[in-house]
Amino acid sequence: MCCSHMVDQEIQTFCRQKSCFRVTFADHSLHVCEVHLRSVMQMTPCQISLFLCLLSCAASFGTRYTPDWDSLDSRPLPEWYDEVKFGIFVHWGVFSVPAFGSEWFWWYWKIALKPEYILFMVKNYPLGFRYADFAPDFHAQFFDPDEWADIFEASGAKYVVLTSKHHEGFTNWGSPTSWNWNSVDNGPHRDLVADLGAAIRNRSLHYGLYHSLYEWFNPIYLKDKQSGFKTQEFVEKKAMPELYDLVNRYKPDLIWSDGDWEAPDTYWNSTGFLAWLYNDSPVKDVVVTNDRWGAGCYCKHGGYYNCADKFTPGQLPNHKWEKCQSVDTISWGYRRNMKLSEVMDLPSIIKDMVYVVALGGNYLLNVGPKADGMIPPVFEERLRGIGAWLKVNGEAIYATKPWRVQAENATVPVWYTSKSSTVYAIFTSNPMQNTFKLLTPKTSHNTVVTLLGNPEPLKWAPLQTSGLIVLLPDLPFTPAEAWTLQLDELWTSPAQEILIRSQACHYAAGGC
C-alpha cells in the first residue's frame, strides 16, 4: 500500500482538520478529504504530501475491472513485461516421449491420420498401444531445474514460460482435476511446475505458465463441443478450476493462454477469470496475460498480443505484442527426427530478435527438452550464444522503446531502438568496409558515437541533409554476426569538439 508508512492516527488527525468523507473499496478503507485551494495553501509540506498520497491511494484502490472486454482491455500492462524483451518458451510433456514430428503427435496420429505418424507407430510399437501408454516413459530422470535455470539465465532471457498443460491434457503438476494424467501421479512423479518455478525465481527471472484451455480428447469437452458449446461442463469442472489452481498455487507472473479457438470467450468464461485475476488474485498487480481467450479474441483482446504463432508484423503495431518462435523451425516439442538444417542458427535468431524489439515486441524463443529432462546440446548452444551477444549489446535491447524510424537500408540493413535520448543502430551484417553510413539520425556538434563493447568514441562526420558517416574500427568477431552503434548527445568543450570534428573530416567521404 502506497500509504503504509503513514499510521492511521496521522490520517485521522489530518482529516479532522478538513471536511472529510470515507470511501471503501473492497476490503480497503480510506479517508478522502474535500480540500479547497485556500486550504491547500494553508497546509504544511508534510500535510500536502499526506493529502496527495491519500488521493493516489484512493485512485489505486478504486480501480476494479468488470468482466467485460472494455474494462479488462483498459488495464495497463505491468511495466516489467515491456522492459524484459526476451524470454524462453518450454514445450515439454508426454509428446516428448514419441518425440516424432510434432507436439501435436496424438492429433496427427488419431484425427488427422497422417501416414507418417501411423507408419511410425506400426513400425515401433505393438498393436493396441495407446497414447496414454507413453506417459510412464515420461521419466524426466535427468531433469535438473537448477541446470535449466542456469542455461536460461546464461541466455540473457528475463522470463521463462513453461507448458503447464498442452492440448493433450497431461498436466505438469498434480492437478486435482486431472487424476492420474499428471506428472505427480504418472511419469516423473514430481511437480515439474513447482520445481522449475523455484529455480527460475532463485535467479530473479520472471516465471510464466502456458495453459491450454481445451483438450483434444477429453470426453467432457467433446460433449460440450457436440452441444455447440451451449453447455459448459468442461469449463466448470476442468478448464477454470485448473487456471485458478495454477494462479493460487504457483503465482505466475505471466499466463500464456492457448487452445481457445474452437469456442467463444463466453463459453470459456474468460472475462470472469480475468476480472478475478486483475482484481483479487495473489498476482493481480504483476500478472501479464496474452490474447488467446476465445475465438476472435487474438490480436484484439487481453493483455499483450500474440496473434498467430510466429507473428511477424510488417510495421510498428499500436499495441504491445510478442513473437513466439521455436529454435526448431518444424516443431515446438522435441523431435528425435530433427535435422540440423531445420534448426535456426545464431545469426538468424539475433536478426529475428532485433527485428521484433525494434518494432516494440517481446521475443519468446522456444526449446523442447527431451522426455528424460535434458535440453538438447544444440538448443543449449544457441541459448548461450544469445547470452554472449546480449552481454555486449543488451543495452540496445532491454528496456528500450521503438525509435521514430524502426529500420533503414543504409550501408547494410539497420534496425533502431532507443532509450531516453540514446539511439541504438543495430546492423546484422558486416559492411566489410571502414566507413558506415546512417541516413536517418539527426546529429549535432554534441553527438558522440560508440560501438558497444568498445569504449572509445568513433570518428564521424555529418552527411549533407541528415545522417552521418562513421569510421568503424575492426569489428570484433561474434558468431551472432551483429553489432550496435550507440548515438548519444553529450556536451563537450570547444577544444574537444574541434578535435573530434577535425579528425572526422579527415576520414569522411568528400570531406567536410
Side-chain angles (χ1 to χ4, degrees):
M1 180 178 174
C2 63
C3 296
S4 59
H5 64 288
M6 299 179 180
V7 297
D8 190 60
Q9 183 178 2
E10 290 176 317
I11 296 174
Q12 293 177 4
T13 301
F14 174 74
C15 287
R16 277 198 300 269
Q17 299 171 3
K18 313 297 175 187
S19 174
C20 297
F21 58 94
R22 193 172 184 86
V23 180
T24 301
F25 301 110
D27 54 349
H28 300 287
S29 186
L30 289 173
H31 293 282
V32 180
C33 303
E34 296 173 334
V35 182
H36 297 288
L37 180 60
R38 182 175 299 175
S39 299
V40 173
M41 298 296 290
Q42 297 172 351
M43 292 182 193
T44 66
C46 182
Q47 287 179 320
I48 292 175
S49 296
L50 176 58
F51 177 65
L52 292 175
C53 181
L54 288 170
L55 291 181
S56 175
C57 288
S60 174
F61 289 134
T63 303
R64 297 279 300 176
Y65 299 98
T66 53
D68 58 84
W69 289 120
D70 285 344
S71 177
L72 297 170
D73 289 344
S74 71
R75 178 183 183 252
L77 193 71
E79 290 182 3
W80 73 261
Y81 179 76
D82 184 50
E83 293 178 352
V84 294
K85 302 300 182 187
F86 174 44
I88 301 297
F89 214 176
V90 183
H91 275 69
W92 199 33
V94 173
F95 51 80
S96 306
V97 178
F100 175 84
S102 167
E103 74 286 348
W104 279 55
F105 182 94
W106 196 3
W107 177 271
Y108 289 146
W109 173 30
K110 289 297 185 179
I111 300 298
L113 301 178
K114 288 197 170 187
E116 61 269 33
Y117 289 81
I118 296 173
L119 185 61
F120 173 82
M121 291 304 299
V122 169
K123 284 184 174 181
N124 296 285
Y125 295 91
L127 187 66
F129 192 94
R130 305 168 305 157
Y131 187 81
D133 296 328
F134 283 123
D137 289 330
F138 181 33
H139 294 301
Q141 67 267 38
F142 300 130
F143 171 52
D144 183 341
D146 286 311
E147 187 175 274
W148 282 25
D150 285 342
I151 294 171
F152 299 154
E153 183 181 39
S155 76
K158 302 300 182 183
Y159 65 111
V160 176
V161 179
L162 173 70
T163 46
S164 67
K165 183 191 77 172
H166 201 255
H167 313 320
E168 64 188 13
F170 187 91
T171 66
N172 281 332
W173 84 102
S175 168
T177 58
S178 191
W179 179 80
N180 203 42
W181 192 233
N182 66 74
S183 65
V184 175
D185 296 334
N186 208 331
H189 294 289
R190 61 190 290 187
D191 188 331
L192 304 176
V193 171
D195 290 350
L196 183 60
I200 292 299
R201 285 175 164 145
N202 280 343
R203 286 152 184 81
S204 299
L205 304 181
H206 291 276
Y207 189 46
L209 295 174
Y210 167 106
H211 175 268
S212 174
L213 290 170
Y214 90 146
E215 298 173 17
W216 290 318
F217 300 105
N218 190 301
I220 306 176
Y221 176 74
L222 295 177
K223 182 181 174 183
D224 283 351
K225 185 176 178 179
Q226 189 174 18
S227 77
F229 299 111
K230 293 181 175 63
T231 59
Q232 293 177 289
E233 186 178 358
F234 177 77
V235 176
E236 294 167 358
K237 293 183 177 179
K238 188 70 163 66
M240 281 300 140
E242 280 186 343
L243 271 174
Y244 282 93
D245 185 45
L246 281 172
V247 172
N248 284 316
R249 197 187 300 200
Y250 304 108
K251 301 174 178 56
D253 297 328
L254 186 152
I255 296 178
W256 213 103
S257 182
D258 198 17
D260 62 311
W261 54 82
E262 289 191 346
D265 62 275
T266 50
Y267 167 74
W268 295 115
N269 287 340
S270 299
T271 56
F273 169 74
L274 291 173
W276 169 81
L277 186 70
Y278 296 165
N279 290 327
D280 303 310
S281 79
V283 290
K284 62 185 178 65
D285 296 324
V286 299
V287 72
V288 172
T289 64
N290 66 344
D291 56 351
R292 300 186 183 188
W293 296 103
C297 283
Y298 80 76
C299 254
K300 185 178 179 181
H301 295 303
Y304 64 88
Y305 292 168
N306 283 126
C307 303
D309 287 353
K310 304 181 182 180
F311 174 60
T312 307
Q315 59 187 9
L316 180 66
N318 59 9
H319 191 93
K320 183 63 186 180
W321 64 286
E322 175 189 79
K323 178 176 183 177
C324 56
Q325 173 69 52
S326 188
V327 178
D328 175 0
T329 59
I330 304 298
S331 174
W332 300 90
Y334 172 69
R335 298 181 299 137
R336 288 181 286 176
N337 58 327
M338 177 179 65
K339 299 176 182 179
L340 187 61
S341 62
E342 297 164 339
V343 176
M344 294 182 73
D345 60 25
L346 182 60
S348 297
I349 292 172
I350 297 299
K351 285 180 182 179
D352 205 26
M353 176 194 292
V354 169
Y355 171 90
V356 168
V357 174
L359 267 66
N362 275 26
Y363 194 60
L364 185 64
L365 186 65
N366 177 77
V367 295
K370 298 179 180 181
D372 61 13
M374 293 298 295
I375 294 176
V378 66
F379 294 161
E380 180 179 350
E381 187 270 343
R382 296 295 189 267
L383 295 184
R384 292 189 182 277
I386 298 167
W389 186 81
L390 285 170
K391 279 185 178 179
V392 176
N393 299 275
E395 65 178 277
I397 300 295
Y398 303 125
T400 58
K401 300 292 183 183
W403 195 44
R404 59 178 173 83
V405 174
Q406 287 76 61
E408 68 167 71
N409 283 312
T411 308
V412 295
V414 174
W415 293 96
Y416 288 103
T417 62
S418 66
K419 189 183 297 178
S420 299
S421 61
T422 301
V423 175
Y424 302 97
I426 308 170
F427 50 107
T428 55
S429 177
N430 192 327
M432 305 301 291
Q433 59 188 43
N434 292 332
T435 57
F436 188 78
K437 288 184 180 180
L438 295 175
L439 306 177
T440 307
K442 296 178 180 179
T443 61
S444 75
H445 297 313
N446 302 310
T447 300
V448 175
V449 182
T450 53
L451 178 73
L452 292 187
N454 184 347
E456 296 300 321
L458 303 182
K459 301 176 178 66
W460 67 273
L463 299 177
Q464 286 187 348
T465 54
S466 67
L468 66 159
I469 183 167
V470 181
L471 180 66
L472 289 178
D474 291 334
L475 294 176
F477 170 75
T478 169
E481 298 178 11
W483 300 265
T484 305
L485 292 176
Q486 176 177 322
L487 284 70
D488 288 295
E489 291 294 309
L490 299 178
W491 292 103
T492 59
S493 68
Q496 290 174 316
E497 183 177 318
I498 291 171
L499 177 61
I500 292 172
R501 302 287 290 169
S502 63
Q503 290 175 333
C505 288
H506 177 73
Y507 293 99
C512 291

